[in-house]
Amino acid sequence: MNDRAAVTEYPIDPALAGRWSPRAFASSTIDEAAVASLFEAARWAPSANNLQPWAFIHASRGTENFDRLHSCLKEANAIWAGSAALLVLALARPIKPDGNTNLHARYDLGQAVAYMTFQATALGLHVHQMGGFDTDRARTVMGIPIDHEAVTAIAIGRRGEPSSLPAPLQDRECAPRTRKSTKTFVFPGRWQEQDGRE
């Protein structure tokens, strides 16, 4: 039973309801087959013109590359993400092979990460995506080529105990999950203001 499953307004797949982003990760590792499955799921995400404008750098806890990637995180993320079994850097390739800008590169990368996220959920893992990292440092220490850009850092692992976190984060870890109602962002036919006026 997932005690953090979303309480939804309408039924959704349990894997979607069960997905959430913990900060407390257990010390357990992720085996190579599971890691391969995560990126295989990302591989099959849809992309505009099938360009697949994504790449991923990953490192397991206890390795030098993990420490390098961890060193790119902003302090607010670094204090908890170091406990994750796996750190990932998600990259987009913003230029098409013909030299034109790929306006959908980040969107497509987001879909690939979503596929990876739900594969992780199916494997009993949790994913926490982070915007708080130093992109310039990441480019240097992770050897990112000039034609790619780091978009998101990701921590992956099994759920840990909230008590392993610093006190302020323990409260956030256990706080009720909330989302805007679909009524605030889904509009049949054409845009409408929330109070019903156009």
Side-chain angles (χ1 to χ4, degrees):
M1 176 78 179
N2 182 352
D3 63 344
R4 299 290 291 164
V7 178
T8 62
E9 295 174 347
Y10 302 97
I12 62 174
D13 189 280
L16 297 170
R19 184 229 59 84
W20 70 288
S21 302
R23 290 177 179 81
F25 285 98
S27 60
S28 56
T29 59
I30 303 173
D31 64 51
E32 290 182 14
V35 173
S37 291
L38 298 177
F39 297 111
E40 183 67 16
R43 175 184 176 219
W44 289 100
S47 68
N49 296 309
N50 198 27
L51 291 177
Q52 304 163 51
W54 51 67
F56 299 94
I57 299 171
H58 68 92
S60 296
R61 191 181 60 247
T63 65
E64 287 184 22
N65 285 325
F66 185 97
D67 294 341
R68 285 189 190 98
L69 210 163
H70 185 258
S71 75
C72 299
L73 302 180
K74 298 291 175 85
E75 183 179 359
N77 291 324
I79 59 175
W80 57 264
S83 297
L86 190 72
L87 288 179
V88 179
L89 203 55
L91 315 173
R93 189 175 60 250
I95 304 299
K96 297 179 182 179
D98 65 7
N100 291 317
T101 300
N102 184 349
L103 299 176
H104 304 290
R106 284 177 170 240
Y107 178 87
D108 290 346
L109 171 63
Q111 294 194 89
V113 172
Y115 269 49
M116 181 174 68
T117 297
F118 294 116
Q119 180 63 25
T121 301
L123 295 172
L125 302 171
H126 287 279
V127 172
H128 191 123
Q129 300 175 50
M130 301 166 273
F133 69 99
D134 185 326
T135 55
D136 291 334
R137 179 171 174 77
R139 181 174 297 283
T140 300
V141 302
M142 303 312 293
I144 299 170
I146 195 65
D147 63 341
H148 284 70
E149 58 185 15
V151 176
T152 306
I154 305 167
I156 303 175
R158 289 183 176 78
R159 182 178 172 189
E161 293 297 326
S163 60
S164 68
L165 296 168
L169 293 181
Q170 290 180 28
D171 293 338
R172 292 179 68 182
E173 193 79 354
C174 299
R177 297 180 62 198
T178 61
R179 283 291 190 274
K180 296 177 182 177
S181 169
T182 56
K183 294 181 177 72
T184 67
F185 61 86
V186 177
F187 307 112
R190 58 181 298 190
W191 186 276
Q192 297 174 352
E193 297 297 333
Q194 290 182 29
D195 64 3
R197 294 178 299 164
E198 295 188 12

